[in-house]
Amino acid sequence: MLGSIRKFSTSIYAKILLGIVIIPFVFWGMGSAFTSGSKNIVVIIDKEKYSTQNFINFIQKNTKGEEKISSSLIEELLSIFIGEKLIEKEIEYFKIKLSDEALGKIIKSQKEFQRDNKFSRTEYEKYLLKNNFTAASFEASLSKFEKKRQLLDFIGGGIFPSKFIVNKSYDQLNQKRKVEFIDLNTFFNQNLNFSEEQINKFYNKNKNSYEQIFKTVNVLELNPKILTGEEEYNDNFFNMIDEIDDLIFQGNEIKLIKDKYNLKNFNTYNINKFGKDKNANVVKNIPEDLIKYIFNLDSSQKLSLIEKQNKYFVVEVSKTENILRDINNKDIRDNVIFNLENETKSILIYEMIKKTKTNNFSKSDFYKFSKEKNIPIKKTTIENQRDNKIFNDYFTKQIYKLSEKSVTVIHDLRLTQNFLVFVDKVEKTYVDENTDEYKKFSNLSKIKLTNELFNTYDNYIKKKYEIEINY
C-alpha cells in the first residue's frame, strides 16, 4: 500500500523473514507451532507486536483457497499487511471515527441495496448471502474502508491546482518544438568496415560465445496407428503408453522399445537448441517445442517419454557435445560482424553523449559535425508529444526533456535508430480556462499534486513509526 513499506521486500531481513512465514502458511493452521520467545511475531510497529497467526489469518482472508502461494506473493501480502496496520494507527492518531448512524446512511445509499430507489432490507440480506458475509463482518469491513477513505481525503483532499500549474501541465504535453537532426547511422556506416584481422581478433577473443551444444537424438513418434493399428486414442493405446513409460523408468533403451512393439525405425537428428545442424541448416520434421523440451532435459535423462499437443514421442539422447563454430560459417561470421558493429556504435555514441552531457557540444559543433562528415541536417516541427510522424513515442519524450538550444543523442536499445538532435525553438502553448481541455488538465494536475503529497506522507510515515521485521 505505502511505497516505503513495499520496498522492505528487497532487503535481506525480508528474505530471511519468509522462513518463519511460509512454512506455517503452506500447512494451514500451523501458526501455533511458534509458541515460545519471539518466533511467533512477524512484525513490531512502535512496540506493538503482530503475530504470525495474525498474518496467516490475513492471508487466508485475502487469497483464494486454491491459489498457489509463492515467495513473491508472501512478500507482497506482508507489505500490504504492514501498510494496513500503519493506516489503522494513523486513523487512531487523527481520531477518525464513524458512528453507527453514519454507517447506516452509507449502507442505505448504496444502489446494490435499493429497490425503486429506496433501501431494501431484503436486497441487503440477499447481497450478504450471495457474498458469504455476515452483517457484522460486512459492516466492520465497510467501516474500516470508510475510515481509510476519510484519512486519505483528510491528507489529500482540498487540493486545487493554480492556473499556472494547469498551463504548465498542458504546455509540457502540447508545446511545439522545432528541431534539427542528423541520422547517425550514416556516420556509423562510415566506420563499420572491418578488416579480416579485426574480425578474427574479435572471434578469438570471444570464442566461448561461439561454442554451441549439439545433441544427437533418436526420436520415435507414437500414435494409435503406429502402436495399435487403430485411428482412435483409446484405452488400448494408453495402456501401451503406460507400458512404454514403465520400460523407460526401468532404464531400457529405445531399440528395445522399437523391437518389442514392432515399430518402424526411429529418426536420428544432430541439432542445436535452434533446431539447426552443424552446417547451420534447419533440421526439418522435428517439432520446435520438442527441441525446446529436449534441451531442457537433465543431462542424466537419456531416455524420455514426451507428450506435446496430444502427440507422444520417445526421445533418446545418445550424444551431447560442445562444438566451437567455425569463423568461416556464414552465420558465425555475420554474428561477429554484427557484434563488432554494435561495439563500435556503442563507443562512438558514448563519446558523443559524453560531450553533449558536459555541454561540450554546441549548435556550432552540430553544424560542424554535419559538414565534416558530409551528412545532411534535416528539420522538422514536432506539434506535441503525441506527434510521431518522424520520431517514435520514446524518442519524442526524450526530445521533450531537452531545453531550447540544446543538443543530445537519442538511440534505441539495439542501436538500430540513432540521431543527433538540436532543439532550435520551443513554442509554449496555453489553454483557455473556459474549455473542457482546461478541466481535463486541471484534473490531471490535481492527481499529480495529490500523488506528490501522498509520496511526502509516505516518507513521513516511514520516519514516524519504528518498524521491526522479526528475523
Side-chain angles (χ1 to χ4, degrees), residues 198-235:
Q198 288 174 298
I199 293 171
N200 286 315
K201 183 179 178 180
F202 184 91
Y203 171 78
N204 289 323
K205 183 181 176 182
N206 298 278
K207 273 187 176 180
N208 290 343
S209 301
Y210 298 105
E211 282 188 355
Q212 288 186 2
I213 296 174
F214 278 81
K215 292 190 176 187
T216 301
V217 293
N218 303 316
V219 179
L220 190 62
E221 183 176 351
L222 305 176
N223 58 47
K225 187 72 174 175
I226 292 171
L227 272 184
T228 65
E230 302 173 9
E231 297 291 342
E232 295 181 358
Y233 287 83
N234 52 29
D235 288 343

Side-chain angles (χ1 to χ4, degrees), residues 310-326:
N310 291 326
K311 290 186 177 182
Y312 291 82
F313 302 88
V314 176
V315 175
E316 182 180 61
V317 181
S318 61
K319 187 178 181 182
T320 300
E321 53 189 333
N322 274 349
I323 295 179
L324 178 65
R325 307 296 303 280
D326 193 278

Side-chain angles (χ1 to χ4, degrees), residues 106 134 158 212 264 307 325 382 449 471:
I106 293 171
T134 64
Q212 288 186 2
K264 292 181 180 179
E307 187 268 324
R325 307 296 303 280
I382 305 175
L449 288 171
Y471 65 100

Side-chain angles (χ1 to χ4, degrees), residues 406-423:
S406 60
V407 180
T408 195
V409 176
I410 56 176
H411 61 88
D412 59 22
L413 290 175
R414 296 178 63 84
L415 303 180
T416 54
Q417 291 183 290
N418 310 275
F419 301 97
L420 184 64
V421 177
F422 168 65
V423 180

Side-chain angles (χ1 to χ4, degrees), residues 331-382:
D331 284 353
I332 300 304
R333 185 179 176 85
D334 288 347
N335 183 265
V336 168
I337 292 172
F338 174 79
N339 286 320
L340 268 172
E341 288 176 348
N342 274 351
E343 187 179 84
T344 304
K345 287 179 183 179
S346 296
I347 293 169
L348 293 171
I349 277 186
Y350 172 75
E351 292 300 323
M352 296 187 75
I353 289 176
K354 190 165 67 172
K355 288 180 180 178
T356 59
K357 292 291 184 185
T358 54
N359 296 320
N360 288 326
F361 208 99
S362 62
K363 180 180 179 180
S364 59
D365 294 320
F366 181 83
Y367 282 98
K368 182 180 178 183
F369 179 85
S370 169
K371 185 175 181 181
E372 287 180 351
K373 306 302 178 184
N374 194 28
I375 306 174
I377 293 173
K378 298 179 182 179
K379 298 182 180 182
T380 189
T381 298
I382 305 175

Side-chain angles (χ1 to χ4, degrees), residues 141-157:
S141 295
L142 185 59
S143 176
K144 184 178 178 181
F145 174 82
E146 177 61 21
K147 288 175 185 177
K148 186 188 298 184
R149 188 196 66 77
Q150 288 184 25
L151 171 68
L152 297 178
D153 190 54
F154 173 72
I155 294 178

Side-chain angles (χ1 to χ4, degrees), residues 57-64 67 73 77 80 84:
N57 294 340
F58 175 82
I59 294 174
Q60 290 175 327
K61 184 180 177 181
N62 289 278
T63 57
K64 296 177 181 178
E67 188 171 357
L73 179 58
L77 288 169
I80 296 171
E84 287 205 359

